[in-house]
Amino acid sequence: MRPPQGWDHLPFFQTDWPAIRDRLERAPGWLPGPDRLFAALQATPPDRVRVIILGQDPYPTPGHANGLAFSVAPDVALPRSLRNIFAELRDDIGAPPPTGDLSGWARQGVLLLNTSLSVPPGDAGRHATWGWDRLARDAVAEAQRHGPLAFLLWGAHAQKAMAGLPRPQDLVIATAHPSPLSARRGFFGSRPFSRINDWLVTQGRTPVAWAA
């Protein structure tokens, strides 16, 4: 569970990580497990981040979480929120990825970061008060050093977690969460994927291949 290269200088790893690491070492069977704990940061170095998609914590069902926000292992059926994300993606640009594994987005500079990186099986939110949220803010601030970012903030939790961080040069798309309870309150029809790509083009940057 070593801090990921490129991000290991963040203040979080000096001030908060030692205590969280000690708690994880004493906690049985948490998800997504040590090998995937920092998967989002490992997949997307700070100088490659173009888009931030912020989630809450990993899926609490064993075998589902793969360390990327909203993403699941390739052979797992789509969770309801991800099913709605794919429905909006299909309406917006025509095609979703072939599976629920969003690693293809991460490789293109989409940082799929949860505000809490660990969860006990079947107990969503249990580790949310451990101090993980400081890592999310540190990571975003570091990514901002390398250029403007597009923030895709779904729901009140993500919007509160990122409060005060976006700058005038950043793009912010803040809508309802894609969960079945709130998707029809502003998520559906928001067309976030094409809006981000249009913005990237104005920046002279390559659009995200969202179907990858």
Side-chain angles (χ1 to χ4, degrees):
M1 295 190 294
R2 298 179 61 182
Q5 188 174 5
W7 301 96
D8 48 3
H9 64 286
L10 297 182
F12 166 86
F13 288 112
Q14 306 304 317
T15 59
D16 302 285
W17 170 236
I20 294 176
R21 181 188 57 212
D22 290 347
R23 296 180 78 169
L24 288 175
E25 289 174 348
R26 296 193 303 269
W30 50 270
L31 303 171
D35 292 344
R36 300 294 299 177
L37 182 65
F38 294 120
L41 299 178
Q42 290 165 340
T44 315
D47 61 345
R48 295 193 59 197
V49 177
R50 302 185 288 156
V51 181
I52 303 283
I53 298 180
L54 202 68
Q56 290 189 245
D57 55 0
Y59 294 113
T61 302
H64 283 205
N66 67 358
L68 308 178
F70 294 102
S71 179
V72 291
D75 57 346
V76 172
L78 300 183
R80 290 178 296 174
S81 291
L82 187 55
R83 195 181 311 152
N84 286 341
I85 291 170
F86 279 15
E88 178 63 21
L89 182 56
R90 188 178 297 108
D91 290 345
D92 189 1
I93 65 169
T99 74
D101 181 6
L102 303 181
S103 298
W105 294 5
R107 288 191 293 268
Q108 297 179 72
V110 180
L111 181 60
L112 296 158
L113 189 62
N114 286 312
T115 54
S116 177
L117 299 193
S118 61
V119 66
D123 199 359
R126 172 64 67 174
H127 295 176
T129 60
W130 283 16
W132 279 122
D133 55 302
R134 300 184 188 98
L135 174 57
R137 294 184 66 86
D138 281 0
V140 168
E142 173 61 24
Q144 286 176 315
R145 294 182 55 246
H146 301 276
L149 302 176
F151 287 81
L152 192 45
L153 305 178
W154 289 326
H157 175 84
Q159 292 156 25
K160 182 178 179 181
M162 293 291 99
L165 282 181
R167 308 158 300 178
Q169 62 266 42
D170 296 322
L171 172 69
V172 179
I173 299 176
T175 71
H177 194 275
S179 76
L181 297 176
S182 58
R184 299 190 183 280
R185 300 175 186 169
F187 172 76
F188 286 136
S190 60
R191 305 185 71 84
F193 308 102
S194 61
R195 290 165 64 187
I196 287 173
N197 278 354
D198 289 347
W199 177 78
L200 288 170
V201 169
T202 67
Q203 301 278 319
R205 299 157 87 182
T206 304
V208 176
W210 296 107

